[in-house]
Amino acid sequence: IALRELAYLERHGYPSPRDLQLGAMVEVPALLWELDTISKRADFLSVGSNDLVQYMYAADRDNTRVSKRYDNLSAPVLRALERIAAAGKRAGKVVTLCGEMGGRPLEALALLALGYRSLSMSPSSIGPVKAAILATNLEETQAFLATLLAEENGAPSLRERLREYAVARNIPL
């Protein structure tokens, strides 16, 4: 694909880029078992959180009859996201996240605690997410989330425990 794009630029008289990086979009659960291999070959990883969560739960997020059956802050989703961030870290690769999840303050706090440092979001989400981040003790949040993820209590979501944590620390949500 990269060679095709370079040929297109040359054909149309555009200069070639000074740097060309090849990334991998992680948005299907099957890739969770190939992360180390992918991380070795890709220059960066980007998580497509909307699709990844939808495919993990086999539920259409746009179908109102089933979309409420899963939560971005469930332990399985957070463990999958943690696994992706850890693989990128082991390989020394940047891991970004795109999707609606990064633009919600509570989810953004969880993502930061998992190791994500680049989140895409709509412009209207920047202020609330920034306010939450600035009010957060990241080390404490990382320890709290690690404790939650280590528990095997079968809770369908960690959302309420994370919300209680944020409220108790005056983190604006």
Side-chain angles (χ1 to χ4, degrees):
I1 294 175
L3 294 176
R4 182 178 64 209
E5 294 303 317
L6 288 171
Y8 174 87
L9 292 174
E10 185 177 319
R11 201 171 45 250
H12 290 87
Y14 294 106
S16 294
R18 285 179 263 150
D19 183 32
L20 183 64
Q21 293 191 338
L22 179 64
M25 191 73 169
V26 181
E27 55 189 355
V28 293
L31 295 181
L32 295 173
W33 289 270
E34 300 299 326
L35 291 169
D36 288 325
T37 301
I38 293 167
S39 296
K40 288 176 190 172
R41 300 185 71 188
D43 294 311
F44 63 91
L45 301 175
S46 184
V47 178
S49 63
N50 294 345
D51 287 339
L52 180 63
V53 173
Q54 176 177 318
Y55 297 145
M56 284 182 70
Y57 283 99
D60 180 3
R61 67 180 178 264
D62 294 326
N63 182 332
T64 56
R65 294 185 309 183
V66 296
S67 64
K68 301 277 188 223
R69 293 186 184 180
Y70 64 84
D71 188 342
N72 288 336
L73 294 178
S74 69
V77 169
L78 293 175
R79 287 184 185 119
L81 292 168
E82 180 180 43
R83 187 177 193 151
I84 297 165
K89 185 175 183 177
R90 280 192 304 276
K93 305 296 171 78
V94 171
V95 181
T96 66
L97 183 127
C98 62
E100 296 170 18
M101 186 176 184
R104 297 181 186 132
L106 190 60
E107 281 88 336
L109 293 179
L111 291 165
L112 287 171
L114 294 174
Y116 289 84
R117 297 298 180 266
S118 179
L119 309 173
S120 70
M121 64 190 72
S122 67
S124 63
S125 297
I126 294 171
V129 169
K130 183 176 179 179
I133 291 169
L134 290 173
T136 300
N137 177 324
L138 185 55
E139 288 181 10
E140 183 183 307
T141 305
Q142 288 171 319
F144 179 73
L145 184 56
T147 300
L148 290 181
L149 291 175
E151 293 176 0
E152 296 291 339
N153 63 6
S157 177
L158 303 179
R159 180 172 299 281
E160 282 311 308
R161 303 245 336 252
L162 286 166
R163 183 181 309 285
E164 291 167 4
Y165 169 87
V167 168
R169 284 152 186 81
N170 296 315
I171 298 170
L173 299 175

